[in-house]
Amino acid sequence: MEYGKAAIIHGADAVYIGAPQFGARADASNSIADIGELIRFAHLYKAKVYVTLNTILYDHEMEDAVRMIRQLYETGIDALIIQDMGLLQCGLPPVPLFASTQTHNHYPEKIIFLEKMGFQRVILARELSLPEILSIRQQTNIELESFVHGALCVSYSGQCYMSHAITGRSGNRGMCAQPCRSSYRLVDADGRTMIENAHVLSLKDLNLSGYLPGLLKAGITSFKIEGRLKDLNYVKNITAYYRQRLDAIFENDQRWGKASSGNIDFHFTPNPYKTFNRGYTTYFIDGRKEKVASPQTQKSIGERLGTVVQSHPQWFTVNAKETINNGDGLCWLHPQKGLEGVLVNRVEGNKVFPAKPVQIKPGAEVYRNNDFLFEKQLAGDSADRRIAVSFELYEYELGYTVCVNDEDGNSVEYSLDAQKQPAKDMVASRKQIDAQFRKLGNTPFIADQVVIPDSFAYFIPAAELNHLRRQVVQLLENCRVDGYQSKEAKRMPADVEYFEKKLDYRGNVANRQARDFYTQHGVEYIEDAFELQNNHQGKMLMTTKHCIKYQYNMCPKKQHPAQKWKEPLFLRDNRSNYRLEFDCKACEMRVISDQ
C-alpha cells in the first residue's frame, strides 16, 4: 500500500497491487483493507488501482477466488488482471478485466479473441517490436499496455515451466524460483565445454524511455513499469523518470495527455541508472540488434563511473566524471569471479579508500550500484503532488461562505455563521485572508488563486479562516473520492471460435472451468497444465527470443561463426541437462527438459 501511494505521488496514473491470494507474486499479497485504503488515496488524484489475480487456478481454489473478486469489486477496484480463462465461467461482477501478459499476448489472433471475449485491455508480450505492436493496433480496438521498464522474463510470459520442473515452484502460480538467474555450463553434443559457469539466461533490464513517442504512435494506451519486489526508492525514482519523460511529450503534442490529476514538484533529479538495474536493453523493440543477456552477473551493477587508473589493496583511483562519496557502493566485473564490490570508506579527490582491501586492476570498469547521497535524498520528502484549486470568499447575512473549485471542475462550498467585524486595514485584512487559504499543508491541494470580492470589507480572525479552509478542503476531498466513478464492464456471452483447435500444456488449463471455456469456443483437444503432470521428460520448459548462439557470436544467419560446435547444445547445472533447440526461421530458442 505504501509503495502504491509513493508511485502515485511520484506520477503514476495507475498502480497494480497484489490480491490477498492468487497474484503472480505470491510474496507480494495485500489485505482487502490495505487495498481499500490505497483506492481512496488513488481516486483522490483520479488515479486507478488494478488488482492482480493472474495465476492459474486449481479446481479447489475457484470458489475462494471468485469470493475474493466480489470483495475487491465492492472495495472499488478499477480493474482485475487475470490469466486463467476459467474465471470467465464463474459469473464475475462487472469489474473490467485486463488480460495479463501471462496469457501470451503475442499474436493478433489471440488479442482479437480476448477483445471479443470482453477484455478491456491486454498487456502485450515484451518481445514485440514496434511494427508488430502497430499491426496489432490496426487489427483491434482494445486498450494496449506495454512494458517499458524493469526486469525481463527470459521466456515468453506464461510459457516458462523451468522453475516448476526444477523446484516444484511454478511461475504460473506466482512462485517462480528464477532459475533464469542461475549459472550454467554450455556444452556441445560431444561434451565439450563452450561456456563455463555463466548466467547465460539472465537478461539485462528493459529501458524503453527513448521509445515512448514511437509507442504512443503505435497505439499504446498504458506504459507499465515492472516493479516486482523492488524497494521504495526504485518505485519513486523510476516512476518520476517516466512521468517527466511523458509530460515533456504531452507538452509538445496535444494528441495525448496524462490520465490523472495534479502537478508534481520533484525534490530530486530522477535517474534510472542510480537504482537497481543489471544494465539496460531495448530488447526487441527494433528487432534483434543487440545482445540482451548479462552473463557475468545477475545482480545490479548501477551506473558506470569510469575506469581504474591506479590500484593498491588499500586504495585505487578512478577517472570518474561524477563525484564518488563516502558510503557509496562500488562494483566491478572480475573475469573469473563475476561481480565484486565494496563500500567506500572515504574519498580524496579521485582516490578511493575502500572499507576493506580489494584486488582491482587498472583498466577495470567501475560502477556505482549504491549512491549513498541519492538514496538519502529519496528516503526523505522526495516529491509533492498537488491538485490545483481556487477559493472564492463571499459574505451572507449570518456570516461567510467559501467556495473551492478544483482543476477537474469539482466545486464545493462551506458556510460559517459568524459575527462580522469591519476591517480597520483593508489591505492587511485581505492579505491575511489570502495567506490563510493558501496554507494547504499536507493536503493534496495547492491554491492557484484566492478570489475576494472588491466589496468585501471585513476582518476575519485567523481561527475562523482556518476553520473555513479545513472544512471546505475536507468536503472537496470527499467530493473527489465519493464522486469517482469506476467503470463497469458489460460482458455478453460471445459465440467466438478460438483461433486454435488444440491446446497442449502451454494453454495452462488447470481447472474444469477453463477446460469448459475452451471447449465452448471450439477447442477440440486440451492437455492438462504442466503443473498437473508428473512426467516432464522431453517437454519444452521455455521458449525465448533470447538466443545463446547470438549472444556468443555463433548465429549462422547474422554472425557466420568461424568455429563449429556439434549440436545439439546443452545447458548443465549441478543436477540436470537442458537441451537447446534453435528455430532460426522464428528466431527463437527453446529449452527442453533432458534428464
Side-chain angles (χ1 to χ4, degrees):
M1 176 187 66
E2 293 302 326
Y3 285 29
K5 288 181 178 180
I8 291 164
I9 288 296
H10 289 75
D13 299 300
V15 294
Y16 284 96
I17 188 169
Q21 294 176 275
F22 312 125
R25 303 288 170 262
D27 293 332
S29 59
N30 298 274
S31 69
I32 296 289
D34 278 358
I35 293 172
E37 183 175 336
L38 178 61
I39 288 169
R40 180 177 177 84
F41 182 84
H43 287 178
L44 187 59
Y45 296 93
K46 288 177 61 179
K48 295 177 172 58
V49 175
Y50 307 138
V51 171
T52 60
L53 201 154
N54 52 339
T55 60
I56 59 172
L57 301 166
Y58 295 151
D59 282 320
H60 69 275
E61 297 171 328
M62 295 298 289
E63 186 176 341
D64 286 343
V66 173
R67 185 184 302 113
M68 186 176 65
I69 291 169
R70 289 176 180 147
Q71 288 180 303
L72 291 164
Y73 170 72
E74 293 297 328
T75 307
I77 65 172
D78 292 285
L80 188 73
I81 176 175
I82 67 170
Q83 175 185 4
D84 199 313
M85 294 297 126
L87 290 170
L88 296 182
Q89 302 288 98
C90 296
L92 298 181
V95 59
L97 296 179
F98 294 174
S100 169
T101 191
Q102 296 293 117
T103 59
H104 190 39
N105 303 319
H106 190 263
Y107 306 105
E109 296 85 355
K110 179 67 172 287
I111 296 162
I112 290 168
F113 175 79
L114 292 170
E115 180 177 11
K116 291 179 178 178
M117 291 310 306
F119 282 85
Q120 180 180 316
R121 181 183 298 181
V122 295
I123 293 86
L124 295 173
R126 294 171 176 90
E127 293 79 5
L128 292 171
S129 66
L130 271 176
E132 288 172 324
I133 293 171
L134 181 59
S135 175
I136 290 169
R137 173 75 294 152
Q138 290 170 342
Q139 299 178 63
T140 62
N141 294 310
I142 196 169
E143 293 180 6
L144 301 178
E145 183 165 291
S146 172
F147 282 92
V148 291
H149 197 96
L152 286 162
C153 290
V154 64
S155 173
Y156 286 110
S157 294
Q159 306 292 289
C160 185
Y161 308 95
M162 199 164 181
S163 175
H164 185 80
I166 296 172
T167 68
R169 295 171 53 185
S170 167
N172 280 319
R173 298 274 298 158
M175 297 178 287
C176 182
Q178 295 190 303
C180 57
R181 302 297 181 188
S182 299
S183 60
Y184 297 92
R185 186 156 55 103
L186 179 66
V187 301
D188 74 353
D190 289 333
R192 291 182 297 170
T193 298
M194 305 163 65
I195 304 294
E196 184 71 62
N197 192 32
H199 303 275
V200 293
L201 296 177
S202 183
L203 301 187
K204 298 175 185 177
D205 288 352
L206 184 66
N207 184 338
L208 295 182
S209 58
Y211 287 83
L212 299 180
L215 288 164
L216 283 163
K217 292 173 185 176
I220 293 299
T221 303
S222 174
F223 297 105
K224 187 167 190 173
I225 296 168
E226 180 279 325
R228 69 186 82 175
L229 302 179
K230 294 296 198 301
D231 66 27
L232 184 59
N233 287 354
Y234 173 95
V235 172
K236 291 179 177 182
N237 182 33
I238 302 302
T239 307
Y241 181 71
Y242 279 86
R243 177 76 277 158
Q244 289 186 338
R245 297 290 294 241
L246 283 170
D247 285 349
I249 295 169
F250 298 160
E251 189 175 344
N252 295 314
D253 195 326
Q254 301 304 310
R255 286 179 291 176
W256 301 294
K258 63 183 179 182
S260 56
S261 302
N263 290 313
I264 304 159
D265 180 21
F266 294 109
H267 308 155
F268 70 105
T269 302
N271 184 339
Y273 289 92
K274 288 184 177 291
T275 38
F276 188 102
N277 73 89
R278 301 175 178 90
Y280 285 123
T281 174
T282 58
Y283 211 31
F284 300 106
I285 196 72
D286 267 337
R288 190 180 297 279
K289 291 189 175 180
E290 61 174 323
K291 295 177 180 179
V292 299
S294 176
Q296 288 182 276
T297 182
Q298 81 283 33
K299 299 176 182 178
S300 175
I301 61 172
E303 61 178 333
R304 185 183 182 279
L305 292 179
T307 56
V308 173
V309 179
Q310 293 178 293
S311 67
H312 181 276
Q314 306 299 329
W315 55 266
F316 55 91
T317 59
V318 183
N319 61 350
K321 293 182 179 179
E322 292 205 20
T323 302
I324 300 173
N325 299 296
N326 299 351
D328 283 353
L330 304 185
C331 61
W332 55 90
L333 289 165
H334 188 282
Q336 283 78 44
K337 298 178 183 178
L339 192 71
E340 294 188 319
V342 71
L343 284 174
V344 175
N345 192 36
R346 75 177 196 275
V347 183
E348 295 177 3
N350 64 347
K351 195 172 188 178
V352 177
F353 293 85
K356 63 181 181 180
V358 298
Q359 295 292 332
I360 183 171
K361 294 182 178 181
E365 290 190 332
V366 176
Y367 297 82
R368 175 164 52 196
N369 58 4
N370 185 71
D371 187 320
F372 178 78
L373 293 182
F374 187 75
E375 294 290 318
K376 185 178 179 180
Q377 196 175 23
L378 280 174
D381 182 16
S382 50
D384 292 306
R385 183 170 184 168
R386 304 286 185 179
I387 301 160
V389 298
S390 62
F391 292 95
E392 297 179 55
L393 180 65
Y394 305 99
E395 66 166 314
Y396 71 103
E397 185 178 354
L398 299 178
Y400 310 108
T401 296
V402 62
C403 177
V404 61
N405 303 281
D406 68 24
E407 64 184 61
D408 297 308
N410 297 295
S411 180
V412 296
E413 63 179 39
Y414 178 78
S415 297
L416 174 68
D417 290 351
Q419 186 175 357
K420 297 179 183 177
Q421 302 178 46
K424 296 179 180 178
D425 185 334
M426 289 287 294
V427 174
S429 177
R430 295 171 75 88
K431 281 185 177 179
Q432 182 195 24
I433 292 170
D434 184 276
Q436 292 302 119
F437 279 124
R438 291 183 185 275
K439 290 182 179 179
L440 292 170
N442 293 325
T443 74
F445 304 110
I446 186 169
D448 267 357
Q449 61 178 342
V450 178
V451 179
I452 308 168
D454 291 339
S455 60
F456 195 88
Y458 300 101
F459 166 77
I460 304 177
E464 292 181 4
L465 288 171
N466 290 338
H467 178 77
L468 281 166
R469 185 194 66 242
R470 284 194 294 265
Q471 293 300 316
V472 78
V473 164
Q474 186 59 58
L475 287 174
L476 182 59
E477 283 196 28
N478 295 340
C479 172
R480 290 186 66 87
V481 174
D482 297 340
Y484 182 96
Q485 293 293 322
S486 295
K487 291 183 179 179
E488 294 201 342
K490 295 180 180 179
R491 283 186 289 275
M492 303 296 291
D495 184 18
V496 182
E497 288 285 306
Y498 194 65
F499 65 99
E500 294 177 324
K501 292 296 183 184
K502 295 182 179 180
L503 282 179
D504 63 15
Y505 62 91
R506 291 170 295 176
N508 299 324
V509 176
N511 57 70
R512 175 177 51 81
Q513 288 90 340
R515 184 175 290 273
D516 290 346
F517 172 84
Y518 285 110
T519 300
Q520 290 174 17
H521 293 283
V523 180
E524 297 171 355
Y525 171 81
I526 302 172
E527 186 180 1
D528 281 343
F530 189 91
E531 291 79 1
L532 298 179
Q533 300 185 28
N534 295 320
N535 183 7
H536 302 144
Q537 180 70 22
K539 293 223 179 259
M540 191 183 306
L541 302 182
M542 182 187 295
T543 304
T544 172
K545 289 285 286 184
H546 164 51
C547 179
I548 287 176
K549 282 187 177 182
Y550 186 85
Q551 182 73 30
Y552 290 102
N553 302 314
M554 297 185 290
C555 173
K557 291 174 64 176
K558 295 178 179 286
Q559 294 163 323
H560 309 294
Q563 187 170 5
K564 298 290 184 182
W565 300 92
K566 187 175 179 180
E567 296 195 40
L569 306 182
F570 297 88
L571 294 181
R572 288 182 181 169
D573 57 21
N574 293 331
R575 297 187 302 173
S576 304
N577 261 2
Y578 307 97
R579 179 165 47 88
L580 301 180
E581 289 184 356
F582 300 91
D583 184 341
C584 292
K585 184 176 181 180
C587 214
E588 293 177 343
M589 181 179 76
R590 292 162 191 151
V591 181
I592 313 295
S593 177
D594 191 80
Q595 303 300 321

